[in-house]
Amino acid sequence: MENLHLITDFLLTNKFIFTLLIIGLVVIVRKFVLFKIRGDVAFVTEKQRSWMSRTKNGAFAITVFLLFVLWKSEINQFALSVTAIAVAIVVASKEIILCFTGSIQRASSRSFRIGDWIEVGKLCGEVIEHNMMATVIQEIDLHHGQYNYTGKTATLPNSMFFTYPVKNLNFMKRYVFHNFSIVVAEFVNLYPLLPDMIAKIEEHCHYFSEVATRYNAMIEKHAGVDLPGAEPHVHINSTPTGEQVVHFMLFCPTDKANHLEQKIRQDFMVLYENKFKPKEERVEWGLQEHNVEIQN
C-alpha cells in the first residue's frame, strides 16, 4: 500500500511522465480494440467501420478528459493569464472552432453516418470515418456517371459543412436514376423509333423491374416526395444548331448502369441505321466490314 502511495505521489508530482503513461496506455488499448474489430478480413464492413470510428473517437475523448483532470489546476491558471488575449486566441483558432461546431452540427442534424454516400461541394464519396475535426470519404466518380471508386481518399474538414450543402446520396448505393443522351446530327423524325426503343429497354431491364418498382416506392415514402417512376423515360429535343438530342433516364441498379447504357446506345444505333440509312449504304458498309474481317 505504501508503495502504491509513493508511486501515485511520484506520478502526480511528475505530471509529464504521468501524461505520457496515460497516452501510451490509451494508444495500446485503442490498437488492441481496433485489431479485434478488424480481424484478419481483407475488406472492412460498414458495421466494422462504424465501431472502429467509435473506438477512435472514444479513445480521443477519454484521453482529453483524463488530461484535463490531471492538468486542471494549470489550465485554470493559464485561462486566467490569457483573458486579456482571449479575442486573439479565438481569431487564431477560428478554423479549429468551426471544425468542432461542424462536427456538432453533423451529429445533431444526422445528415449522414459511416457507409453513406455524400456529396460536399465537388467531392462525392462513401463516408469511411468521421471525428471531431474531419470526415474521411472514399471518392466516387459520380460526376461522370461512372459510380466507381476512384481509389482516392479525401479528408474533409468539418468546417466545410457550413460552407457547402451536404447531399446524402445513400439511396444511390443500390439504385440510381441514370441519365444519358445521344446526339443525332441529322434532323429526321425520330419518334417512330421510340416504341421499339422502349421495348428494347424493357427487355434489358425485365430481370430487376419489380425490385426497382418496390425500391422506388420505398424511397418516395421515406423522402415524402413524388419521384419519377421506375419505368424508362425517353424524350427528344433539339439544339439551336439543328441537332436532335435523345434523352434517356433509367432507374436501375447502380452497378449495372454503365452496362445498360452501352446496350441501349447500341440498340438505338442499329434502329437508326435500319430506319434512315439507305439500303445501298448499309450493304456497302456490311461488305467493308466483311472484307476487314477476312483481312484480319
Side-chain angles (χ1 to χ4, degrees):
M1 185 64 70
E2 292 182 2
N3 292 334
L4 181 61
H5 283 297
L6 291 174
I7 294 173
T8 304
D9 293 338
F10 174 78
L11 292 176
L12 292 176
T13 305
N14 300 273
K15 292 186 177 181
F16 284 106
I17 298 177
F18 200 5
T19 299
L20 294 176
L21 288 175
I22 291 174
I23 294 174
L25 181 61
V26 171
V27 169
I28 292 172
V29 173
R30 175 177 174 271
K31 286 187 175 181
F32 177 76
V33 174
L34 290 176
F35 175 76
K36 287 295 185 182
I37 294 173
R38 183 181 179 90
D40 57 354
V41 296
F43 300 101
V44 182
T45 63
E46 290 184 14
K47 186 176 181 180
Q48 287 175 308
R49 283 178 179 167
S50 179
W51 278 107
M52 290 170 72
S53 179
R54 292 173 187 171
T55 301
K56 292 176 182 178
N57 293 335
F60 176 76
I62 291 172
T63 303
V64 170
F65 174 76
L66 293 176
L67 295 182
F68 176 79
V69 173
L70 179 62
W71 293 91
K72 184 170 69 172
S73 58
E74 287 79 1
I75 292 173
N76 289 334
Q77 294 176 4
F78 176 76
L80 292 174
S81 64
V82 299
T83 302
I85 57 172
V87 175
I89 292 177
V90 170
V91 172
S93 58
K94 174 185 175 182
E95 194 66 25
I96 297 176
I97 294 172
L98 284 175
C99 287
F100 273 105
T101 52
S103 176
I104 295 172
Q105 186 268 344
R106 177 202 59 78
S108 60
S109 64
R110 298 181 181 179
S111 53
F112 61 85
R113 60 185 179 85
I114 289 179
D116 285 356
W117 284 14
I118 64 170
E119 179 180 354
V120 183
K122 294 184 178 180
L123 293 172
C124 306
E126 180 177 337
V127 179
I128 59 176
E129 184 180 348
H130 58 70
N131 52 47
M132 296 295 292
M133 296 298 295
T135 298
V136 183
I137 64 172
Q138 192 73 41
E139 192 179 43
I140 301 171
D141 188 17
L142 293 183
H143 292 301
H144 296 94
Q146 298 298 315
Y147 315 107
N148 296 322
Y149 292 102
T150 64
K152 301 175 184 177
T153 300
T155 302
L156 312 178
N158 291 337
S159 58
M160 289 183 67
F161 301 153
F162 294 109
T163 308
Y164 301 99
V166 179
K167 300 179 183 179
N168 193 311
L169 313 175
N170 197 41
F171 83 92
M172 293 176 61
K173 290 181 70 174
R174 289 189 58 197
Y175 277 78
V176 65
F177 283 105
H178 183 62
N179 294 273
F180 62 96
S181 302
I182 299 176
V183 179
V184 179
E186 298 176 319
F187 198 86
V188 294
N189 184 12
L190 298 176
Y191 284 94
L193 299 181
L194 294 189
D196 291 336
M197 198 66 240
I198 292 176
K200 290 281 188 181
I201 296 174
E202 290 177 347
E203 182 181 343
H204 293 311
C205 301
H206 76 280
Y207 67 94
F208 62 80
S209 59
E210 293 184 3
V211 177
T213 302
R214 292 198 300 268
Y215 194 70
N216 184 273
M218 183 188 72
I219 296 172
E220 284 186 333
K221 184 177 180 180
H222 178 74
V225 294
D226 185 18
L227 296 175
E231 68 278 0
H233 299 268
V234 183
H235 66 276
I236 301 170
N237 61 14
S238 58
T239 66
T241 55
E243 294 92 352
Q244 295 190 92
V245 183
V246 186
H247 297 276
F248 297 87
M249 185 174 71
L250 309 174
F251 187 70
C252 60
T254 304
D255 58 347
K256 300 290 190 302
N258 292 308
H259 175 72
L260 289 170
E261 177 182 340
Q262 295 305 311
K263 289 285 188 183
I264 293 168
R265 286 182 181 273
Q266 180 182 5
D267 291 337
F268 179 84
M269 292 176 183
V270 170
L271 290 174
Y272 179 83
E273 184 181 32
N274 292 337
K275 177 70 175 177
F276 298 107
K277 208 166 192 181
K279 184 176 180 181
E280 294 78 10
E281 290 186 21
R282 296 203 302 268
V283 172
E284 183 180 352
W285 178 252
L287 289 173
Q288 290 177 358
E289 286 186 338
H290 181 68
N291 292 334
V292 169
E293 290 179 359
I294 291 175
Q295 292 175 4
N296 292 336

